[in-house]
Amino acid sequence: MPSYLFWLFSTIMLIGACAVIAFRNPVSSALAMVTSFVGLAALFIGLSAFFVGVIQILVYSGAIMVLFLFIIMLLDLKDEKKRSESLAPLAAGLVLVGAFFIQLVGVLSNKLPNQIAPALDKASLAAAADSFPKGTKINQSLEGGNLPDVHLIGHTLFTEYNLPLQILGVLLLVATVGVVVLSKRQTN
């Protein structure tokens, strides 16, 4: 990816992210979040992560944001009328910013052990095929010299991150039930 495209898409993403918290209208904030997601998807595609970029557009910019807009419409949220006069939210926000900054400095100051990506030639892919059971699609694709990125993401998601995936599914279900309960309570 040329560096000017990286800076362009990064700027679009950051402006969208700042607009999410700057707008007072919830619908405008949701649309600004779509802008941020589109910039992030462009960065993924520019880094040759085509599957993740397309999924970013389809799932987050499409399905999730439509769900957010339905929730905003169901709750009938109005513009923020008045900001809080209390200093407690401001202090909590500053503490969170400080904690994030400390964590960012800690991460950037440590050198990760394996920062060089392995070469994706046929020999290294064939060697990686041995770590998967014979006869599976991942093994066959790696032995054929192809990188089955969709299958690898699915395999990693359902083997190494199965519990967080299940917890996320339960949280989404609880959020959906909460929206239905809140919308029923307002109509009564």
Side-chain angles (χ1 to χ4, degrees), residues 20-36:
V20 169
I21 57 174
F23 287 144
R24 291 183 169 203
N25 188 336
V27 176
S28 299
S29 292
L31 293 177
M33 189 179 285
V34 170
T35 304
S36 180

Side-chain angles (χ1 to χ4, degrees), residues 65-160:
M65 287 314 300
V66 168
L67 178 68
F68 279 4
L69 288 174
F70 275 128
I71 291 170
I72 290 170
M73 300 297 179
L74 279 175
L75 293 177
D76 195 24
L77 296 176
K78 305 291 183 201
D79 289 353
E80 186 179 346
K81 302 282 189 239
K82 182 181 170 185
R83 294 204 179 259
S84 175
E85 300 292 330
S86 175
L87 290 178
L90 180 63
L94 289 176
V95 167
L96 286 176
V97 168
F100 175 75
F101 183 74
I102 290 170
Q103 184 179 14
L104 184 65
V105 167
V107 168
L108 292 178
S109 64
N110 290 335
K111 185 171 180 127
L112 298 176
N114 187 10
Q115 290 187 346
I116 299 173
L120 295 178
D121 54 355
K122 286 193 172 199
S124 63
L125 291 176
D130 294 336
S131 60
F132 294 97
K134 295 281 184 196
T136 60
K137 283 192 172 195
I138 295 174
N139 181 279
Q140 291 172 351
S141 295
L142 289 173
E143 284 181 346
N146 298 321
L147 184 62
D149 52 351
V150 176
H151 291 100
L152 284 173
I153 289 173
H155 182 267
T156 303
L157 194 62
F158 286 105
T159 56
E160 296 179 23

Side-chain angles (χ1 to χ4, degrees), residues 41-63:
L43 284 176
F44 281 134
I45 290 172
L47 294 173
S48 300
F50 299 106
F51 176 72
V52 178
V54 169
I55 291 298
Q56 178 78 25
I57 292 286
L58 291 177
V59 174
Y60 288 102
S61 300

